[in-house]
């Protein structure tokens, strides 16, 4: 049955909801480099006083030894002699027969 002023209309279908596109924020990029480390503070050490140079020890010059002879008689004949114990290295080469600490006495 139709009512007056009404027309027959097809069955109303529900109106589809409007499509709303949601914008999704892009994810933050992953940091692949390590974060910069804080600089290490430089600690100034107190300056050391320069070491005083010690002078080289004074070494008395070593006298050249006289030539070694077979006996004191030969040394005295060549103009050498009077070697004292603890002073002259030549003293050890000859015999101190009288024990007075001097060899090849002239």
């Amino acid at each position: 049955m139709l009512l007056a002023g009404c027309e027959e209309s097809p069955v109303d279908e529900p109106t589809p909801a409007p499509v709303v596109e949601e914008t999704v924020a892009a994810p933050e990029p992953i940091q692949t480099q390590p974060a910069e480390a804080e600089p290490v503070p430089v600690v100034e050490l107190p300056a050391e006083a320069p070491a005083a140079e010690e002078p080289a020890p004074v070494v008395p010059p070593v006298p050249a030894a006289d030539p070694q002879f077979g006996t004191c008689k030969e040394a005295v004949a060549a103009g050498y002699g009077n070697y004292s114990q603890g002073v002259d290295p030549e003293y050890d080469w000859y015999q101190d027969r009288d024990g007075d600490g001097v060899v090849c006495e002239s």
Side-chain angles (χ1 to χ4, degrees):
M1 159 165 108
L2 281 179
L3 297 173
C6 291
E7 297 179 10
E8 193 172 320
S9 64
V11 177
D12 289 334
E13 293 185 19
T15 309
V19 177
V20 178
E21 290 188 28
E22 291 184 33
T23 55
V24 179
E28 292 288 324
I30 297 174
Q31 190 173 19
T32 57
Q33 295 179 350
E36 290 186 29
E38 291 184 26
V40 177
V42 176
V43 176
E44 294 286 331
L45 297 177
E48 292 184 24
E53 279 191 40
E54 294 182 24
V58 177
V59 178
V62 177
D66 292 345
Q68 186 171 2
F69 297 94
T71 64
C72 275
K73 186 176 182 179
E74 293 172 4
V76 171
Y80 299 99
N82 286 355
Y83 302 121
S84 299
Q85 182 179 17
V87 177
D88 300 305
E90 295 89 351
Y91 176 86
D92 295 327
W93 301 343
Y94 306 104
Q95 290 182 359
D96 186 3
R97 293 182 190 211
D98 58 4
D100 65 352
V102 179
V103 294
C104 300
E105 303 165 75
S106 48

